[in-house]
């Protein structure tokens, strides 16, 4: 993007007429500071907006804690890139408030983030890891024990903890656990059996093999779950997961079974980008 | 287990039929574009088997029935930063039944698709693909099926 | 009413302003108000109230101190020095505010948001504005002066109280930061 293209996106904005009225008033009565009739115009609009929206979005300073009681909610403005609605019973801290990084820490409760910006400008730290905005709208909740749920309504969110990453697209959710990090994401319209089996993964005394249930229940769209599962199951189970994905949807050029089973990062990325057309 | 395998075979056949070889479209939800600009798009799509996507001619119209009256809305097709990937945003009324008809040419090849739209976005299982633009009759039939499915 | 052609501010107009000629002052205001307001608006992250305040301050200062304008520099250079000072002061005040209550938003800039029918283009514009907004103040003001009035390096150096080399460096680094931030963004 060159200078000319940038300039095209910064059009000259007409100065409000009220400024001249204000200047003229100041010149007439030589009072300082001058009366600012435009301020009344802005105030009127703001009051109307307040009445219409029902709350006031505010900007907070880094280090500040925000806490809502069981009946109140508030909205936090995130620089120029969006806002976060803070639901009742929530405690959240503003960690960083800079143009290049906006970071909150969610102690407990629920927040709804609406961000319109290039990826990786907005972060939310929780007891289970960090939600990284990839251009999205999402809800993130964390209880007092740090067990959380991420639900994405638009775009993508990456949830990371110590090198473990779950990529959650719109329409999907992901449970998060302290000292374990993000769980395996699943689409909200996946079968209940699949969701239950995800909860039971790693639980030794399950009545049936959770992996078997997940593979059997998975639809084409659930390759989201399977793609993550491939990277989390024991090495010996990877082939089962790979084969199930390959059954559900053609393996694209550039993705080989051998590389996929070795969890080659470039192969997995390529496969994920292709699978996303089914998600 | 047998039903499971039959289901897979049927799906594989359906998938093969749904994407004829040659110039065609692949349709996806907005997340498929990997482009945050399109997170609120109705859906995204890409061209397949087009040697020079930059020269492909793509257009789209929303075709609908609102209170019994047939309506047609020309749509703006937006190109993503990735060549051959496009997005369509909803600029048709929320009321009524609507499908989006995609048309494209790449050199001498043509392609078409009918994308039925539901309250939660595209209805993937009802997508229809053609090696030419969809005809009015095909669009009407798709709209009729969409209305009947409610 | 005084007719002004392009940016030629005649000595007569300055003299008229010094003598309190309101029409002459209004002509000056009309010629520059949108540029001053736009620079302030983009500099102050789309805050319309703050940009209006800066615009008012600049022109009041201009009117009350036009007697100091010696005419050995171009009028626009002198004016933009006032703009730079007012913007930087307002930026510092804004930063020190614990809580601001404006709901103004770069995306809400009246013209662009409502008139750009093209969704992708609107999104792109928002990205550009956000990227400009994210520049450190010294780079941001340099880029905006360059974009909105195409000032020469010499004029910018006078307005920014720095050397031409510093101007060149700030513009170069500012554009590089913008390019990095906007890398890969494109609309069709």
């Amino acid at each position: 993007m060159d200078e000319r293209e940038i300039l095209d996106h910064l059009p000259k904005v007409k100065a409000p007429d009220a400024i001249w009225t204000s200047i003229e008033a100041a010149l007439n009565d030589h009072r300082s500071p001058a009366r600012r009739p435009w301020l009344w115009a802005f105030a009127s609009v703001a009051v109307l907006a307040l009445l219409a929206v029902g709350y006031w979005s505010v900007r907070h300073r880094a280090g500040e804690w925000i806490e809502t009681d069981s009946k109140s909610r508030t909205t936090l403005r995130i620089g120029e890139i969006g806002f976060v609605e803070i639901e009742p019973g929530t405690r959240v801290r503003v960690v960083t408030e800079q143009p290049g990084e906006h970071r909150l820490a969610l102690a407990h409760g629920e927040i709804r983030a609406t961000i319109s910006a290039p990826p990786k400008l907005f972060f939310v730290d929780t007891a289970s890891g960090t939600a990284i905005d990839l251009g999205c709208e999402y809800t993130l909740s964390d209880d007092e024990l740090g067990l959380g749920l991420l639900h994405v309504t638009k775009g993508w969110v990456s949830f990371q903890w110590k090198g473990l990453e779950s990529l959650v697209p719109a329409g999907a959710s992901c449970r998060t656990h302290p000292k374990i990090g993000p769980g395996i994401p699943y689409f909200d319209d996946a079968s209940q059996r699949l969701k239950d089996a995800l909860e039971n993964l790693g639980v030794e005394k399950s009545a049936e093999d959770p992996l078997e249930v997940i593979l059997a229940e998975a639809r084409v769209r659930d390759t989201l779950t399977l793609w993550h599962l491939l990277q989390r199951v024991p090495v010996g189970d990877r082939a089962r997961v790979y084969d199930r994905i390959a059954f559900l949807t053609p393996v694209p050029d550039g993705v080989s079974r051998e590389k996929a089973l070795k969890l080659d990062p470039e192969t997995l990325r390529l496969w994920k980008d292709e699978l996303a057309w089914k998600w | 287990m047998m039903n499971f395998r039959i289901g897979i075979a049927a799906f594989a056949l359906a998938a093969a039929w749904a994407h004829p070889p040659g110039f065609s479209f692949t349709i996806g939800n907005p997340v498929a574009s990997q482009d945050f600009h399109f997170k609120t798009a109705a859906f995204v799509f890409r061209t397949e088997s087009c040697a020079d996507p930059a020269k492909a001619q793509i257009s789209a119209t929303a075709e609908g029935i609102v209170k019994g009256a047939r309506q047609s809305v020309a749509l703006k097709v937006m190109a993503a930063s990735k060549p051959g990937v496009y997005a369509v945003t909803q600029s048709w009324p929320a009321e009524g039944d609507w499908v989006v008809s995609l048309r494209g040419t790449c050199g001498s090849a043509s392609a078409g698709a009918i994308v039925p739209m539901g309250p939660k976005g595209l209805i993937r299982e009802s997508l229809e693909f053609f090696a030419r633009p969809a005809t009015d009759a095909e669009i009407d039939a798709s709209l009729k099926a969409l209305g009947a499915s409610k | 009413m005084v007719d002004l052609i392009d940016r030629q501010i005649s000595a007569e107009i300055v003299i008229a302003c010094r003598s309190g000629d309101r029409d002459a002052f209004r002509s000056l205001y009309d010629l520059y108000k949108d540029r001053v307001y736009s620079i302030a608006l983009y500099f102050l992250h789309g805050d319309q109230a703050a940009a209006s305040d800066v615009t008012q301050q600049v022109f009041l200062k201009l009117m009350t101190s036009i007697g100091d304008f010696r005419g050995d520099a171009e009028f626009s250079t002198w004016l933009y020095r006032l703009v730079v000072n007012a913007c930087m002061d307002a930026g510092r005040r804004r930063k020190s505010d614990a809580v601001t209550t404006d709901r103004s938003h770069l995306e809400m800039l009246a013209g662009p948001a409502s008139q750009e029918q093209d969704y992708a283009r609107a999104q792109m514009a928002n990205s550009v504005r956000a990227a400009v907004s994210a520049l450190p103040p010294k780079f941001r003001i340099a880029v905006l002066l360059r974009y909105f009035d195409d000032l020469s390096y010499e004029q910018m150096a006078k307005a920014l109280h720095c050397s031409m080399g510093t101007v060149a460096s700030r513009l170069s680094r500012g554009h590089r930061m913008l390019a990095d931030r906007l890398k890969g963004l494109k609309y069709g």
Side-chain angles (χ1 to χ4, degrees):
Chain A
M1 182 174 270
D2 62 23
E3 289 180 35
R4 181 53 52 188
E5 284 178 289
I6 291 172
L7 184 55
D8 285 345
H9 292 297
L10 294 175
K12 200 184 285 178
V13 183
K14 189 176 179 300
D17 294 339
I19 298 175
W20 174 254
T21 314
S22 179
I23 291 172
E24 212 167 26
L27 292 173
N28 285 341
D29 62 16
H30 298 285
R31 278 188 307 197
S32 183
R35 287 198 305 264
R36 299 189 291 182
W38 51 265
L39 202 56
W40 288 103
F42 283 125
S44 307
V45 171
V47 167
L48 286 174
L50 184 68
L51 290 172
V53 178
Y55 50 69
W56 193 257
S57 119
V58 293
R59 183 176 281 168
H60 290 264
R61 184 182 279 175
E64 193 175 341
W65 280 99
I66 302 153
E67 190 155 11
T68 53
D69 62 24
S70 61
K71 289 178 182 168
S72 65
R73 51 165 54 89
T74 187
T75 301
L76 179 64
R77 188 172 148 186
I78 306 299
E80 308 297 340
I81 63 173
F83 58 92
V84 168
E85 294 170 73
I86 301 172
E87 296 295 301
T90 299
R91 184 168 157 78
V92 67
R93 187 164 66 94
V94 180
V95 179
T96 311
E97 175 64 15
Q98 293 171 353
E101 180 181 319
H102 303 270
R103 185 178 289 268
L104 303 180
L106 175 63
H108 62 79
E110 183 174 310
I111 60 170
R112 294 169 190 275
T114 302
I115 303 296
S116 183
K120 299 180 182 174
L121 281 180
F122 177 62
F123 306 82
V124 181
D125 295 329
T126 74
S128 314
T130 301
I132 302 169
D133 168 80
L134 301 179
C136 59
E137 293 179 22
Y138 66 89
T139 303
L140 181 61
S141 59
D142 235 17
D143 65 17
E144 300 278 356
L145 299 174
L147 296 170
L149 179 66
L150 168 68
H151 172 62
V152 180
T153 48
K154 286 191 174 71
W156 291 89
V157 175
S158 164
F159 199 99
Q160 298 182 12
W161 181 77
K162 292 191 174 178
L164 190 66
E165 179 182 31
S166 285
L167 284 164
V168 190
S173 297
C174 178
R175 294 206 172 278
T176 66
H177 312 265
K179 297 181 182 173
I180 295 176
I184 291 169
Y186 54 89
F187 276 109
D188 300 321
D189 59 4
S191 75
Q192 193 56 47
R193 284 197 79 215
L194 183 145
K195 293 178 194 172
D196 291 344
L198 279 175
E199 293 287 319
N200 291 330
L201 264 182
V203 177
E204 287 180 4
K205 291 184 179 175
S206 297
E208 49 189 347
D209 175 12
L211 180 58
E212 185 65 37
V213 175
I214 293 166
L215 295 179
E217 289 287 325
R219 310 157 298 166
V220 175
R221 198 181 192 207
D222 296 320
T223 49
L224 165 73
T225 298
L226 301 186
W227 181 84
H228 283 83
L229 200 55
L230 179 70
Q231 301 162 71
R232 309 273 180 99
V233 294
V235 180
D237 284 331
R238 282 182 197 162
R240 293 169 69 195
V241 181
Y242 174 93
D243 290 342
R244 181 63 173 136
I245 302 176
F247 256 122
L248 288 169
T249 185
V251 178
D253 292 343
V255 173
S256 72
R257 180 184 169 89
E258 185 191 3
K259 283 188 173 176
L261 294 182
K262 283 182 179 169
L263 306 185
D264 171 59
E266 183 55 24
T267 299
L268 293 177
R269 186 197 61 75
L270 182 68
W271 205 5
K272 184 258 299 173
D273 287 353
E274 185 58 32
L275 289 171
W277 284 92
K278 313 289 183 192
W279 299 347
Chain B
M1 196 55 150
M2 183 63 83
N3 286 343
F4 173 66
R5 287 200 174 134
I6 290 170
I8 289 171
F11 180 84
L13 277 173
W17 177 81
H19 286 280
F23 178 55
S24 61
F25 297 118
T26 292
I27 318 285
N29 278 314
V31 295
S33 69
Q34 316 278 342
D35 187 331
F36 80 95
H37 292 110
F38 295 152
K39 70 176 184 182
T40 56
F43 64 88
V44 296
F45 63 100
R46 70 179 180 197
T47 54
E48 305 284 358
S49 303
C50 182
D52 188 356
K55 288 184 180 167
Q57 298 289 314
I58 309 290
S59 64
T61 53
E63 307 285 351
I65 296 177
V66 181
K67 291 179 182 170
R70 187 75 167 76
Q71 293 188 15
S72 187
V73 178
L75 299 176
K76 174 93 177 165
V77 174
M78 290 160 297
S81 50
K82 204 181 291 182
V85 177
Y86 305 87
V88 167
T89 49
Q90 181 168 348
S91 52
W92 56 88
E95 196 182 5
D97 298 322
W98 291 89
V99 300
V100 174
S101 172
L102 297 179
R103 294 169 299 279
T105 57
C106 174
S108 59
S110 293
I114 298 177
V115 186
M117 301 304 301
K120 291 182 177 176
L122 69 95
I123 303 173
R124 199 182 285 277
E125 54 272 28
S126 302
L127 290 170
E128 292 179 78
F129 298 92
F130 310 92
R132 51 166 173 73
T135 63
D136 289 347
E138 286 162 339
I139 292 169
D140 287 341
S142 183
L143 276 172
K144 196 175 171 186
L146 183 61
S149 68
K150 286 186 174 173
Chain C
M1 197 65 156
V2 180
D3 288 323
L4 295 172
I5 300 168
D6 198 19
R7 278 188 249 154
Q8 300 302 312
I9 307 297
S10 68
E12 287 77 17
I13 294 165
V14 173
I15 291 166
C17 286
R18 278 177 180 162
S19 65
D21 184 332
R22 191 68 61 84
D23 284 345
F25 181 55
R26 178 65 201 246
S27 300
L28 270 183
Y29 174 79
D30 285 342
L31 188 65
Y32 284 100
K33 65 181 168 69
D34 292 345
R35 271 173 279 184
V36 170
Y37 179 74
S38 300
I39 290 170
L41 188 63
Y42 289 116
F43 184 83
L44 297 167
H45 315 289
D47 186 332
Q48 295 164 318
S52 294
D53 219 349
V54 163
T55 307
Q56 178 187 310
Q57 281 174 25
V58 165
F59 283 99
L60 279 174
K61 178 84 175 168
L62 186 147
M63 189 61 178
T64 54
S65 62
I66 199 161
D68 299 336
F69 176 58
R70 299 188 303 273
D72 53 355
E74 283 185 46
F75 176 80
S76 58
T77 307
W78 184 65
L79 171 69
Y80 285 122
R81 187 178 294 179
L82 298 180
V83 173
V84 169
N85 291 342
C87 281
M88 298 301 258
D89 287 348
R92 278 190 286 271
R93 276 199 305 275
R94 247 177 144 259
K95 203 173 176 181
S96 65
D97 288 345
V99 174
T100 59
T101 51
D102 66 274
R103 283 182 61 85
S104 62
H105 206 277
L106 286 173
E107 290 185 17
M108 290 165 59
L109 293 183
S114 59
Q115 291 168 12
E116 283 170 2
Q117 298 294 318
D118 184 330
Y119 170 85
R121 187 177 167 80
Q123 291 291 310
M124 174 69 65
N126 288 334
S127 298
V128 170
R129 288 167 204 149
V132 169
S133 186
L135 290 174
K138 284 181 180 175
F139 299 98
R140 197 186 323 144
I141 194 71
V143 165
L144 289 171
L145 283 181
R146 180 74 172 171
Y147 282 177
F148 280 102
D149 219 334
D150 203 19
L151 297 184
S152 68
Y153 281 18
E154 188 181 358
Q155 289 171 312
M156 288 184 67
K158 285 176 182 167
L160 293 167
H161 312 276
C162 63
S163 69
M164 283 197 279
T166 304
V167 168
S169 160
R170 286 182 190 171
L171 281 175
S172 166
R173 287 183 60 192
H175 287 140
R176 209 178 316 136
M177 282 187 259
L178 284 178
D180 284 347
R181 176 73 77 188
L182 298 168
K183 197 159 44 186
L185 298 186
K186 188 178 147 189
Y187 60 88

